[in-house]
């Protein structure tokens, strides 16, 4: 159970940890005043067909948004990180959820009733603009990933995903980068539109070349530049 607490693609550089822009600051300033809950690892925030009554903001942790296809396989739509909002379909008066939201690690979520947010957006045009910008950026990321799945081979998608993890979650340790609490091979496959076996084969190949190292708790990128050159090779 959650625990309530009182009241907070185009071409990219290989590394860009500046993920805080004006919209994220202003959205944060709004949501830090809202109700906060702590969700445990792999706990669901909502599932398909649940009522759409709230909009959520990630203060700390990570959330996976997914659907289940006709074959019963999970299809991961987005990996949400601190500073991002989700559940925004409620703003379009969609009464029930069409996706599921699950936390990957222990996560601090703030939430606001959709009617309250609509009222505040009507009264504050700048807040409305920043919320809309956040939603559009999220849609843009999903669109680019789907384009990549159509045009790129699985190996290139996996390498690009590793580079994305470094850009968004990586910490530099000497000449290397470490990403903690990474997705499982199955989750990577569900996110990238490939098979678990393919993910495992590619990761093992990159490990054999001493470009990466991984276990259940972390992913270590030993040579970022050479890893990037593996795309298309």
């Amino acid at each position: 159970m959650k625990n309530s607490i009182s009241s907070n693609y185009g071409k990219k550089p290989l590394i860009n940890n500046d993920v805080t822009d004006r919209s994220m600051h202003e959205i944060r300033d709004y949501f830090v005043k809202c109700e906060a809950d702590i969700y445990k690892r792999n706990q669901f925030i909502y599932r398909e067909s649940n009522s759409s009554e709230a909009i959520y903001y990630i203060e700390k942790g990570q959330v996976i948004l997914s659907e289940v296809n006709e074959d019963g396989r999970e299809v991961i739509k987005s990996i949400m990180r601190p500073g991002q909002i989700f559940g925004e379909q409620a703003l379009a008066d969609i009464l029930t959820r069409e996706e599921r939201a699950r936390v990957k690690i222990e996560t601090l979520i703030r939430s606001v009733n959709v009617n309250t947010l609509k009222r505040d957006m009507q009264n504050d045009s700048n807040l409305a603009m920043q919320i809309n910008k956040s939603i559009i950026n999220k849609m843009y990321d999903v669109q680019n990933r789907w384009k990549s799945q159509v045009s790129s081979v699985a190996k290139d998608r996996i390498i690009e995903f590793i580079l994305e993890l470094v850009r968004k979650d990586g910490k530099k340790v000497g000449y290397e980068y470490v990403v903690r609490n990474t997705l499982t091979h199955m989750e990577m496959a569900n996110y990238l539109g490939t098979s678990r076996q393919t993910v495992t084969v590619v990761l093992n190949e990159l490990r054999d070349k001493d470009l990466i190292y991984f276990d259940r708790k972390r992913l270590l990128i030993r040579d970022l530049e050479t890893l990037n050159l593996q795309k298309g090779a």
Side-chain angles (χ1 to χ4, degrees), residues 161-198:
F161 177 65
I162 294 173
L163 298 176
E164 176 187 328
L165 288 177
V166 175
R167 286 193 295 266
K168 295 183 177 180
D169 303 321
K171 302 295 182 183
K172 192 169 185 179
V173 181
Y175 294 102
E176 303 173 333
Y177 292 88
V178 63
V179 179
R180 300 193 182 277
N181 301 308
T182 57
L183 274 64
T184 66
H185 291 190
M186 190 72 249
E187 288 171 332
M188 289 186 193
N190 292 343
Y191 183 66
L192 297 171
T194 186
S195 68
R196 181 185 60 79
Q197 291 84 352
T198 298

Side-chain angles (χ1 to χ4, degrees), residues 18 33 39 42 76 82 102 105 114-115 137-138 140 143 154 171-172 187 190 202 220 231:
D18 182 15
K33 305 171 186 176
Y39 291 82
N42 287 326
I76 296 179
R102 171 175 60 88
I105 57 177
V114 62
N115 293 325
N137 285 341
K138 175 182 170 184
Y140 180 76
Q143 182 184 43
K171 302 295 182 183
K172 192 169 185 179
E187 288 171 332
N190 292 343
V202 172
L220 183 68
K231 292 187 295 184

